[in-house]
Amino acid sequence: MATDTQLDLWEVFIQSKSGLPYIHSGSVHASDVKMAMQNARDIYTRRGEGTSIWVVPAKHISASNPDDNDMLFDPSNDKIYRHPTFYVMPEGAKNI
Amino acid sequence: MTTKDATYNYAIRLGDNALILGHRLSELCSKGPILEEDLALTNVALDMIGRAQALLKYAAELEGKGHTEDDIAYRRAEINYHNHLLIEQPNGDFAHTIARQLYLSVFEYLFFTELEKSKDATLAAIASKTIKEVKYHMQHAIDWSLRLGDGTAESHKRMQKGLNDLWMYTGELFEMDVLDTYLLHQHIAVDTIALKAKWQSEIEKILREATLTLPEDTYMQTGSKKGIHTENLGHILSEMQYLQRAYPDAKW
Amino acid sequence: MHNEHSDTHFQSRIDNGEHIEAKDYMPEGYRKHLIRQMSQHAHSEVIGMQPEGNWITRAPSLRAKQILLAKIQDEGGHGLYLYSAVETLGVSRAELIEQLQTGKAKYSSIFNYPALNWADIGAIGWLVDGAAIVNQVSLQRTSYGPYSRAMVRICKEESFHQRQGYEIMTTMMRGTKDQQAMAQDAMNRWWWPALMMFGPHDSDSPRSGDAVKWKIKRETNDELRQKFIDKTIPQAELIGLTIPDKNFKLDEKTGHYTLSPINWEEFHRVVAGHGPCNKQRLDHHIKYHQEGAWVREAAEAYKVKTAKKELVTA
């Protein structure tokens, strides 16, 4: 083989407690999914950080383009009616 | 022979296996084929040293002379060490490591599954913690056996060589001596003879999938139960015990 | 409309305290500085496994053996986090390793010193990790997102490293005469190299300016070094270790310690490759990297084979 391989790049997501969201922890290199899973376990859950692991080949993750940020994210700024604080409740209303 | 004495010796044997394998695996730290694998093997080494600590601590308790697990690990000579010969063999290439891990982890999985039923509550508790660790070691060894066996021509050749070179030390895993039999009758020890067929068929199944073959039958080396080792153990101990022996009054 | 691809806009984001992510616009100099600094940091973690690895098999208790193994493993992990952070900038780990092995990339010179007695393990944890932590805590606020996230994780994990080192030093200083002598010997050998870890004085550090402006570095070499000195000297005195410097004193006015001048000649000599272990460390890395090549190739080949099999059975 001409060039050295360091195997494929995978992204690791860990759930720290059941019911909580999976959060990106970092990356590992691995040639197959079993290895990626074991490496993720060996590297990112050494201190009891996890109850569940997702591994995803990095090449299958798409990231939004920062140049599109205006288009993607600004339009939601003025949609304040999506937030509960937008609404006026009568004085004395409870549990709402 | 009292049950207590016999159990002391039994705990020593199991503790030594864990300690010496931990030693061999920790020698590989910073030498892994890829950073991730370096960390994976270190995890196995840590499991082993943790297991050794638990077993040798129990042995020290049974001995009742006020010794610690460290006294037992660091102040015994070769002849009083009882780890399997397979475990003390020097590290070779990565295939050699995986072959050793495969033979041992499959054996240990079967062994500790039985030991969990031991009448000795401490051994049973250590066994049930150990099974969880060993399951993972076994998966790791199996996965790598498949990758190496069915990878490239070179990896196949190396893996087969690793398996062949270590084969003569596998017979010892299943030996039963007077002590084992004595404790077996008291439902404390494991009947290792009964594990042999299952072990061999498991190994054979894995090797077949990995396009590898079970090594040919050969004369099986033996001796560790009597404290007769290969030349390798002396070197391990002289390294491991260096500080404790050179500064006997020091506390670390 | 502002130009999102301008250096002015970039600098204003930095000045606003924003983090920069992999796909964001960044000046070429920023990118280059990051790659150099992060990869150097990653290589340091990985090469740093060697001097401590030298003592695993001789650790004097089972507890010490476990701690040391776990610590070295952490260092490998930290190298891995940092390599991953560099990879976000489009440089592969294979390239980074090649740069290390050809001498194009550097690692911290501290690891070119040998670990000679057991107290060295204490000194490495206490002084070397101690110095590294001062730097790393500061880097948690670095402007590049992936670097900052890696540093947050690293700092969390490293908090035990320095304590375990100081614990070893304390135990040995309370131990036998031999142990005390070993501890002082380790102190004598590691003190100055640890101070050099922060790099040249600010007045002699040409790249510092940009790095601080871009908030890659949040504090200068001298600021960080002084922090380390001020917190470490009282720790040494507490357990009876002598600072190997006849001229050190506490400046009552500033509350800072002052020391003799650092021997920068030694620093530059070791950086240039003439430390006691430069060749040994790099040779070790190359040897095991090469010995692992067939394993990595096998894993790749197996992946291709199984993918084909799955196609056939699908």
Side-chain angles (χ1 to χ4, degrees):
Chain A
M1 214 170 270
T3 53
D4 181 49
T5 169
Q6 284 287 312
L7 313 182
D8 301 329
L9 185 65
W10 298 67
E11 298 303 330
V12 180
F13 300 80
I14 308 266
Q15 185 189 41
S16 60
K17 234 171 87 183
S18 72
L20 293 182
Y22 287 72
I23 294 174
H24 183 239
S25 280
S27 322
V28 291
H29 285 219
S31 60
D32 55 53
V33 64
K34 280 181 173 176
M35 197 195 289
M37 191 59 86
Q38 288 178 12
N39 289 347
R41 178 262 191 191
D42 283 326
I43 289 150
Y44 292 103
T45 68
R46 301 201 302 284
R47 289 171 167 82
E49 295 96 330
T51 51
S52 179
I53 302 173
W54 288 348
V55 288
V56 188
K59 64 179 179 200
H60 291 324
I61 292 184
S62 305
S64 61
N65 186 335
D67 291 349
D68 296 338
N69 279 8
D70 293 0
M71 169 184 90
L72 292 173
F73 308 117
D74 287 359
S76 75
N77 286 347
D78 59 359
K79 313 281 195 293
I80 47 176
Y81 43 79
R82 285 189 174 125
H83 300 281
T85 47
F86 177 74
Y87 299 91
V88 184
M89 292 291 109
E91 203 143 314
K94 284 180 181 159
N95 301 321
I96 178 159
Chain B
M1 183 159 43
T2 67
T3 305
K4 205 173 170 189
D5 289 344
T7 311
Y8 163 81
N9 282 303
Y10 200 68
I12 288 275
R13 289 176 180 185
L14 298 181
D16 289 350
N17 282 328
L19 180 58
I20 301 302
L21 184 60
H23 185 97
R24 281 298 187 220
L25 289 171
S26 67
E27 285 176 340
L28 297 172
C29 190
S30 84
K31 298 172 186 171
I34 187 163
L35 201 43
E36 281 80 354
E37 186 55 29
D38 211 301
L39 274 69
L41 284 175
T42 305
N43 267 348
V44 183
L46 280 169
D47 285 345
M48 288 298 163
I49 295 165
R51 194 203 300 173
Q53 207 173 22
L55 285 159
L56 297 182
K57 186 166 178 258
Y58 183 44
E61 278 166 34
L62 290 167
E63 187 196 37
K65 290 182 184 165
H67 288 148
T68 65
E69 62 268 34
D70 283 338
D71 297 329
I72 297 205
Y74 287 90
R75 302 289 172 96
R76 267 181 308 144
E78 291 97 299
I79 187 108
N80 299 321
Y81 256 82
H82 296 288
N83 57 281
H84 299 304
L85 303 180
L86 173 63
I87 286 166
E88 70 199 34
Q89 297 313 305
N91 291 319
D93 62 8
F94 185 70
H96 186 273
T97 300
I98 294 301
R100 186 180 60 203
Q101 285 302 112
L102 181 70
Y103 286 155
L104 276 170
S105 60
V106 174
F107 169 76
E108 289 190 332
Y109 181 67
L110 299 172
F111 181 89
F112 286 105
T113 304
E114 289 305 310
L115 191 67
E116 202 183 9
K117 302 169 199 158
S118 172
K119 267 200 168 165
D120 184 295
T122 308
L123 291 180
I126 293 172
S128 72
K129 178 173 183 287
T130 300
I131 290 170
K132 293 182 201 162
E133 295 170 352
V134 166
K135 247 189 192 169
Y136 189 79
H137 304 165
M138 184 166 73
Q139 199 54 57
H140 174 262
I142 293 173
D143 291 345
W144 271 111
S145 297
L146 296 176
R147 289 185 197 108
L148 298 184
D150 200 13
T152 62
E154 181 179 8
S155 69
H156 178 92
K157 200 176 86 187
R158 284 175 181 264
M159 187 64 202
Q160 189 64 58
K161 184 177 181 329
L163 292 162
N164 294 351
D165 288 353
L166 293 171
W167 184 246
M168 64 175 159
Y169 300 110
T170 58
E172 213 190 33
L173 302 175
F174 307 99
E175 278 176 10
M176 294 282 286
D177 69 356
V178 183
L179 185 134
D180 293 311
T181 315
Y182 174 75
L183 287 177
L184 175 63
H185 287 146
Q186 300 188 52
H187 307 286
I188 290 172
V190 174
D191 182 359
T192 49
I193 292 173
L195 302 179
K196 188 161 191 232
K198 176 89 175 128
W199 177 83
Q200 186 149 329
S201 80
E202 282 294 317
I203 296 287
E204 210 166 1
K205 200 179 84 194
I206 296 158
L207 297 188
R208 202 176 317 121
E209 198 188 336
T211 72
L212 296 158
T213 48
L214 198 71
E216 279 173 33
D217 263 336
T218 179
Y219 178 77
M220 288 292 174
Q221 297 297 323
T222 176
S224 72
K225 287 197 171 164
K226 295 195 180 76
I228 308 297
H229 289 269
T230 60
E231 288 178 347
N232 304 295
L233 184 68
H235 293 283
I236 292 177
L237 296 186
S238 56
E239 197 173 335
M240 188 175 89
Q241 299 177 338
Y242 152 65
L243 282 171
Q244 289 258 359
R245 299 276 198 186
Y247 305 97
D249 301 329
K251 294 229 166 19
W252 308 91
Chain C
M1 202 174 123
H2 58 243
N3 180 4
E4 281 161 8
H5 288 190
S6 80
D7 290 0
T8 331
H9 177 66
F10 172 83
Q11 191 59 48
S12 74
R13 290 191 65 195
I14 296 280
D15 295 341
N16 281 336
E18 285 182 45
H19 278 106
I20 305 302
E21 293 297 330
K23 283 191 148 189
D24 293 350
Y25 170 78
M26 59 185 84
E28 194 48 29
Y30 178 82
R31 190 175 167 275
K32 273 195 179 148
H33 191 103
L34 273 177
I35 293 172
R36 188 179 56 241
Q37 184 173 326
M38 288 194 290
S39 69
Q40 181 169 330
H41 196 162
H43 296 323
S44 301
E45 296 279 356
V46 170
I47 296 291
M49 296 168 80
Q50 291 181 41
E52 292 179 286
N54 180 39
W55 277 93
I56 298 171
T57 56
R58 291 177 291 171
S61 71
L62 298 180
R63 177 179 181 268
K65 202 185 277 285
Q66 283 170 312
I67 294 169
L68 185 57
L69 256 179
K71 176 172 185 290
I72 299 171
Q73 186 190 43
D74 272 352
E75 274 145 22
H78 298 165
L80 196 148
Y81 305 159
L82 288 161
Y83 281 134
S84 305
V86 194
E87 281 180 286
T88 61
L89 293 170
V91 191
S92 74
R93 199 197 292 175
E95 285 172 79
L96 295 171
I97 290 174
E98 195 190 315
Q99 288 173 3
L100 168 69
Q101 297 187 342
T102 54
K104 242 184 88 188
K106 297 255 181 273
Y107 56 87
S108 176
S109 268
I110 194 77
F111 302 116
N112 291 319
Y113 291 89
L116 299 178
N117 82 55
W118 174 251
D120 286 41
I121 298 305
I124 291 173
W126 173 47
L127 297 175
V128 175
D129 287 78
I133 288 165
V134 169
N135 194 23
Q136 285 164 351
V137 164
S138 168
L139 283 171
Q140 289 183 102
R141 296 179 293 129
T142 190
S143 60
Y144 186 55
Y147 192 19
S148 160
R149 291 193 285 275
M151 291 319 306
V152 168
R153 194 175 183 97
I154 288 171
C155 284
K156 221 199 261 167
E157 297 188 351
E158 289 224 343
S159 53
F160 93 82
H161 291 189
Q162 195 189 11
R163 294 176 70 112
Q164 69 83 33
Y166 192 54
E167 188 191 81
I168 291 176
M169 293 307 255
T170 307
T171 306
M172 293 186 76
M173 287 307 288
R174 288 178 185 161
T176 64
K177 283 227 150 43
D178 283 330
Q179 286 177 301
Q180 288 169 6
M182 281 186 233
Q184 187 61 52
D185 168 48
M187 175 77 188
N188 296 348
R189 283 181 288 105
W190 290 96
W191 172 250
W192 290 106
L195 297 183
M196 293 176 200
M197 282 174 70
F198 296 95
H201 288 306
D202 299 343
S203 50
D204 304 320
S205 184
R207 293 192 203 102
S208 247
D210 276 346
V212 171
K213 183 184 88 186
W214 288 326
K215 297 188 183 170
I216 294 177
K217 283 187 78 151
R218 301 304 306 258
E219 287 162 283
T220 68
N221 295 353
D222 285 332
E223 286 164 0
L224 293 168
R225 183 165 23 237
Q226 191 62 49
K227 267 192 189 175
F228 173 73
I229 291 168
D230 290 344
K231 76 184 184 108
T232 308
I233 289 180
Q235 291 167 359
E237 289 177 330
L238 181 70
I239 58 173
L241 280 166
T242 307
I243 305 293
D245 180 358
K246 286 195 185 99
N247 299 315
F248 91 91
K249 59 173 184 292
L250 182 64
D251 183 333
E252 299 288 353
K253 262 187 285 170
T254 61
H256 296 303
Y257 286 93
T258 56
L259 304 177
S260 302
I262 290 171
N263 179 358
W264 292 110
E265 207 177 301
E266 172 181 329
F267 173 77
H268 292 296
R269 175 164 47 81
V270 179
V271 171
H274 305 293
C277 303
N278 295 58
K279 187 172 186 309
Q280 179 189 335
R281 301 289 184 240
L282 214 49
D283 284 354
H284 176 105
H285 193 274
I286 293 169
K287 178 179 188 303
Y288 292 103
H289 177 71
Q290 286 174 352
E291 284 187 9
W294 68 267
V295 179
R296 298 188 295 272
E297 284 164 25
E300 286 287 349
Y302 180 75
K303 173 184 80 177
V304 174
K305 273 189 195 176
T306 43
K308 272 187 196 155
K309 270 186 211 160
E310 274 164 22
L311 273 180
V312 174
T313 50

